[in-house]
Amino acid sequence: MTTFRAALLALAAAALATTASAQDYRAPRTSFGQPDLQGVWTNAAITGLERPAMFKSLTIPEAEAKAFEARRAAMRAAQDRPSDPNAGAPPVASDPGGYNAAWTDPGTTLGRIAGEVRTSWIVEPADGKLPYSAEGRRLLQTTLDKARNGFDGPESRPLGERCILGFGSTAGPPMLNVLYNNHYEIVQTPDYVTIVVEMNHDARVIRLKDRAHVPAHIRPWMGDSVGWWEGDTLVVETTNFNPGEVLRPYFAATIYISEDARVTERFTRIADGQILYEFTVDDPKVFTQTWKAQMPLNAAKGPVYEYACHEGNYSLPGILAGARLAEKEGRQAESVDLTE
């Protein structure tokens, strides 16, 4: 047997053993008998929702993942210390890095689920891309154009600017990772599960006993979530999204999900330090098919920090003052590209 073939067999055996271990794992129980999902978790990773063109498959070998992560670490080190003659080298343990390194927490590694490296969270469609319909892309573009040029009043600015919901879709659902504030604290009672989101201190309250959705005219932020247990898996169904949150802006990962979408999430603890988070988005108004994704929620160290948004923030008054000055001078205010 060649060394290369032996290595491949060893990798395959390790993957099978990891999968079997995840399947055999039994989550601890709360005092009232539910699988215990409580604690602080993070989805920080350099894996994103859609698969980049450089990756041709959902999973890649560990060696390829390590090489990619090392390149990303070198790039970030160079950005944090541009005047350092040694810029490009990964930071040493005693070096905290620059401001961005201390403030942001986008993660330094690709996501791994039960030891398997993932290149995208989307698992269906197989190409790892959002399956927008022509109408869906039109809705996305129209909403983006409106947001880019919405300088007339605070109500037309994105929700993150207005401190109503977190940047991008951190609260969701679905809950996606962004540049920072990727922590979640889960608290359970017999009748409710609450997910406290670090970004903008959003709190999702999921009803377990009353599973009837609110009337269609009631459209709360983050939708209306009800849940139930299927074995050790918490299943959460969310409908009744607010029309104001159809645009989830996060640079190139900006997505559009209509107010009529149905999002189904599944939370399964597969190890002491990991929850498998799966979600399905059913939104025929925007997409050609239902799409599905999987993401790890990994145990985080320490509590969730306090999040403050508008305190000392002069950006919105500055934006509006600039728009009023542009009107006075008879010119158009410049648009902002939310996808860059």
Side-chain angles (χ1 to χ4, degrees):
M1 181 182 297
T2 66
T3 302
F4 178 71
R5 185 182 177 193
L8 285 179
L9 289 174
L11 285 172
L16 288 172
T18 302
T19 301
S21 176
Q23 292 174 343
D24 294 340
Y25 178 80
R26 181 171 172 78
R29 263 41 185 181
T30 63
S31 60
F32 39 87
Q34 294 176 357
D36 195 346
L37 304 177
Q38 297 181 109
V40 179
W41 308 87
T42 177
N43 60 3
I46 55 179
T47 300
L49 182 63
E50 294 191 277
R51 189 170 309 137
M54 70 182 73
F55 297 120
K56 306 304 179 185
S57 60
L58 175 64
T59 63
I60 57 174
E62 187 65 32
E64 183 180 346
K66 291 290 188 184
F68 177 77
E69 291 163 353
R71 292 194 299 271
R72 286 290 297 263
M75 290 172 58
R76 188 174 183 193
Q79 292 170 350
D80 287 339
R81 290 184 297 279
S83 61
D84 188 339
N86 298 315
V92 296
S94 60
D95 183 359
Y99 171 80
N100 286 340
W103 176 64
T104 62
D105 62 337
T108 59
T109 62
L110 291 164
R112 288 163 172 80
I113 298 177
E116 185 180 73
V117 182
R118 297 297 179 93
T119 59
S120 66
W121 302 141
I122 292 178
V123 297
E124 293 181 21
D127 64 0
K129 300 294 185 183
L130 289 165
Y132 281 110
S133 62
E135 174 64 8
R137 290 197 178 279
R138 187 194 68 79
L139 289 168
L140 170 63
Q141 190 61 52
T142 300
T143 311
L144 268 173
D145 290 342
K146 182 178 179 181
R148 288 168 179 159
N149 295 285
F151 296 96
D152 287 339
E155 293 82 2
S156 59
R157 301 309 302 150
L159 299 180
E161 274 187 18
R162 298 162 59 197
C163 296
I164 293 177
L165 286 179
F167 187 57
S169 191
T170 46
M175 305 185 304
L176 303 180
N177 55 314
V178 294
L179 183 63
Y180 54 92
N181 298 136
N182 291 308
H183 289 72
Y184 304 83
E185 184 170 7
I186 300 178
V187 180
Q188 295 171 236
T189 73
D191 298 340
Y192 298 91
V193 174
T194 297
I195 303 175
V196 179
V197 185
E198 182 180 18
M199 183 75 84
N200 210 49
H201 48 256
D202 293 319
R204 295 183 55 198
V205 180
I206 301 161
R207 304 187 303 279
L208 300 181
K209 293 295 177 69
D210 177 12
R211 287 166 48 185
H213 285 291
V214 296
H217 68 278
I218 299 177
R219 301 276 173 168
W221 299 116
M222 298 175 288
D224 180 59
S225 295
V226 298
W228 61 91
W229 291 96
E230 293 182 0
D232 282 3
T233 298
L234 173 65
V235 183
V236 180
E237 180 185 79
T238 304
T239 61
N240 298 62
F241 287 100
N242 191 296
E245 64 176 313
V246 291
L247 181 66
R248 315 280 181 88
Y250 180 56
F251 304 108
T254 295
I255 62 174
Y256 183 101
I257 296 178
S258 82
E259 66 272 22
D260 298 323
R262 182 180 301 270
V263 177
T264 304
E265 303 163 286
R266 301 177 68 87
F267 298 79
T268 309
R269 192 164 180 175
I270 59 175
D272 285 345
Q274 189 171 85
I275 292 173
L276 173 59
Y277 174 53
E278 304 172 277
F279 56 86
T280 300
V281 177
D282 183 9
D283 191 0
K285 186 176 181 179
V286 179
F287 303 105
T288 59
Q289 67 175 81
T290 296
W291 54 275
K292 300 179 181 181
Q294 296 177 333
M295 173 191 294
L297 299 179
N298 296 310
K301 297 178 181 179
V304 176
Y305 287 116
E306 177 191 6
Y307 184 94
C309 191
H310 262 327
E311 291 80 358
N313 185 346
Y314 296 97
S315 61
L316 192 55
I319 288 171
L320 299 179
R324 299 295 80 78
L325 178 62
E327 291 172 355
K328 183 178 179 181
E329 296 176 349
R331 58 185 175 85
Q332 291 286 332
E334 295 182 4
S335 64
V336 176
D337 192 343
L338 300 175
T339 63
E340 292 184 353

